[in-house]
């Protein structure tokens, strides 16, 4: 009996917004062999190897291509709202574990929903710690956001939480976690640094003073401005439009934009405010803009819905009488 090997075939199909699963299969064709008893037998062998290659259109590559990305913050931890956000066309969704009620277990279904909608997820941590970073990164988000970074030392620690030894202190369980497709992605260790977007939040007076040095830290990809916490740190709680706060914001923006991403600096990211809309941020050079929070969108829609209903009850009595009068006139005119 002889086996003739067919040409190798490469089969690819999408696995997530970030990755594609490639199956390289070499199969032997069935060969009939005739024995003295004149019985025919068939033999087939198959060899399969698996690798997962990253899609070129991840958040990092899109920023490097000069795109401005528009996203949403998800505080509800609702997979349904996460999926709707993804299907609506947002470039990214930040699952917020700092101000949202959920943690790692609640974030995972949201990541599943966003992956189904082919939308990158960013996880915002409740604090900048190795333990939180490790658990978040094992879920496999495209980005991770560290709150309240106030110095280059803080930023270097944040980056170290994202790197495996000897470059960092991240704990390794890459053979069984979602980030590596549960070990199916044998190239994960070679690719994860190029795929992960590391974001540091500058949201205090101290952070603004060191914004230039934070942006220059190797591994920091984005500086996320935090106008609300910044205004509070300056003594103007819930007054981000205050002149002193805006002046401090401008100083931080200038420092980050001056760092130059292509020269080893960071991209500028921010959250739109009533006094400072998405287009305003874009015109000042922001590369990532978040325009809304899911809870806020639902609140506004719900409040408006109730308001319209009550207004219609008040105005509807007169309108109803007019409609009845018009109907009577139309009937008798016919």
């Amino acid at each position: 009996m002889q086996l003739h090997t067919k040409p190798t075939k490469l089969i690819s199909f999408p696995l997530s917004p970030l990755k594609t699963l490639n199956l390289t299969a070499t199969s032997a064709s069935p060969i009939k062999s005739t024995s003295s008893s004149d019985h025919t037998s068939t033999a087939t062998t198959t060899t399969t190897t698996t690798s997962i290659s990253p899609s070129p259109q991840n958040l990092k590559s899109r920023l490097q291509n000069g795109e401005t990305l528009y996203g949403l913050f998800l505080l509800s931890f609702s997979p349904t709202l996460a999926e709707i956000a993804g299907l609506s066309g947002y470039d990214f969704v930040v699952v917020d574990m700092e101000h949202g009620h959920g943690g790692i277990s609640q974030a995972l279904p949201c990541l599943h929903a966003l992956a189904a909608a082919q939308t990158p997820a960013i996880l915002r941590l409740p604090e900048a710690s190795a333990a939180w970073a490790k658990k978040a990164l094992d879920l496999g988000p495209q980005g991770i956001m560290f709150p309240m970074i106030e110095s280059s030392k803080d930023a270097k620690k944040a980056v170290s939480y994202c790197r495996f030894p000897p470059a960092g202190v991240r704990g390794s369980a890459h053979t069984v976690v979602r980030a590596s497709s549960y070990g199916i992605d044998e190239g994960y260790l070679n690719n994860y640094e190029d795929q992960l977007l590391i974001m540091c939040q500058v949201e205090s007076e101290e952070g603004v003073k060191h914004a230039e040095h934070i942006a220059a830290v190797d591994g920091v990809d984005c500086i996320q401005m935090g106008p609300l916490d910044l205004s509070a740190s300056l003594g103007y709680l819930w007054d981000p439009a205050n002149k002193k706060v805006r002046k401090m914001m401008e100083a931080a923006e200038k420092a980050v934009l001056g760092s130059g991403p292509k020269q080893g600096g960071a991209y500028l990211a921010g959250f739109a405010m009533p006094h400072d809309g998405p287009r305003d941020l874009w015109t000042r050079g922001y590369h990532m803009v978040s325009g809304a929070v899911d809870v806020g969108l639902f609140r506004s829609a719900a409040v408006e819905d109730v308001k319209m209903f009550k207004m219609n009850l008040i105005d509807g009595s007169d309108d109803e009488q007019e409609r009845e009068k018009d109907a009577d006139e139309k009937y008798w005119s016919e």
Side-chain angles (χ1 to χ4, degrees), residues 3 137 168 178:
L3 292 178
L137 291 171
R178 184 175 185 269

Side-chain angles (χ1 to χ4, degrees), residues 315-329:
D315 300 335
S317 57
D318 294 335
D319 293 342
E320 186 64 28
Q321 291 175 6
E322 288 295 325
R323 283 194 294 270
E324 290 177 357
K325 180 180 178 181
D326 291 341
D328 289 341
E329 290 178 352

Side-chain angles (χ1 to χ4, degrees), residues 75-305:
L75 269 69
S76 69
F77 283 81
S78 164
T80 299
L81 293 183
E83 188 174 26
I84 291 172
L87 295 172
S88 297
Y90 286 104
D91 295 308
F92 63 90
V93 171
V94 179
V95 181
D96 191 355
M97 296 190 294
E98 182 183 13
H99 292 293
H101 67 272
I104 295 296
S105 298
Q106 292 77 26
L108 180 56
C110 296
L111 266 64
H112 288 156
L114 290 167
Q118 299 187 15
T119 302
I122 297 171
L123 289 180
R124 178 156 78 160
L125 305 183
E127 63 181 24
S129 71
W132 272 107
K134 174 174 60 179
K135 293 180 76 66
L137 291 171
D138 282 350
L139 294 187
Q142 273 201 37
I144 186 169
M145 187 183 297
F146 292 91
M148 202 58 72
I149 299 298
E150 297 188 315
S151 67
S152 60
K153 182 179 179 180
D154 290 345
K156 289 176 182 177
K157 284 184 178 180
V159 173
S160 74
Y161 301 155
C162 302
R163 302 281 189 257
F164 292 114
V169 297
R170 179 181 171 186
S172 177
H174 62 276
T175 57
V176 292
V177 296
R178 184 175 185 269
S180 66
S181 298
Y182 305 100
I184 296 173
D185 183 2
E186 297 174 356
Y188 174 71
L189 292 180
N190 296 324
N191 301 324
Y192 80 95
E193 288 189 24
D194 295 331
Q195 298 171 8
L196 180 66
L197 189 75
I198 299 177
M199 306 178 71
C200 290
Q201 288 190 255
V202 169
E203 48 187 345
S204 68
E205 184 175 7
E206 190 69 18
V208 171
K209 291 178 181 178
H210 299 102
E212 181 179 0
H213 301 295
I214 295 171
V217 170
D218 184 35
V220 173
D221 299 303
C222 278
I223 299 297
Q224 171 81 23
M225 296 303 303
L228 293 180
D229 279 319
L230 177 59
S231 65
S233 75
L234 293 172
Y236 302 99
L237 182 63
W238 190 231
D239 188 14
N242 185 281
K243 289 183 179 180
K244 292 183 179 180
V245 178
R246 300 191 71 165
K247 185 176 180 180
M248 191 71 72
M249 284 282 291
E250 290 171 3
E253 293 167 358
K254 183 178 179 181
V256 176
L257 291 172
S259 70
K262 294 184 178 180
Q263 289 75 43
Y267 295 97
L268 184 61
F271 197 91
M273 304 294 293
H275 70 280
D276 200 13
R279 183 171 180 81
D280 297 319
L281 299 183
W282 175 72
T283 57
R284 296 206 304 274
Y286 278 74
H287 304 92
M288 297 181 74
V289 177
S290 298
V293 177
D294 65 330
V295 174
L297 287 175
F298 181 77
R299 175 208 60 211
S300 298
V303 170
E304 182 64 19
D305 182 55

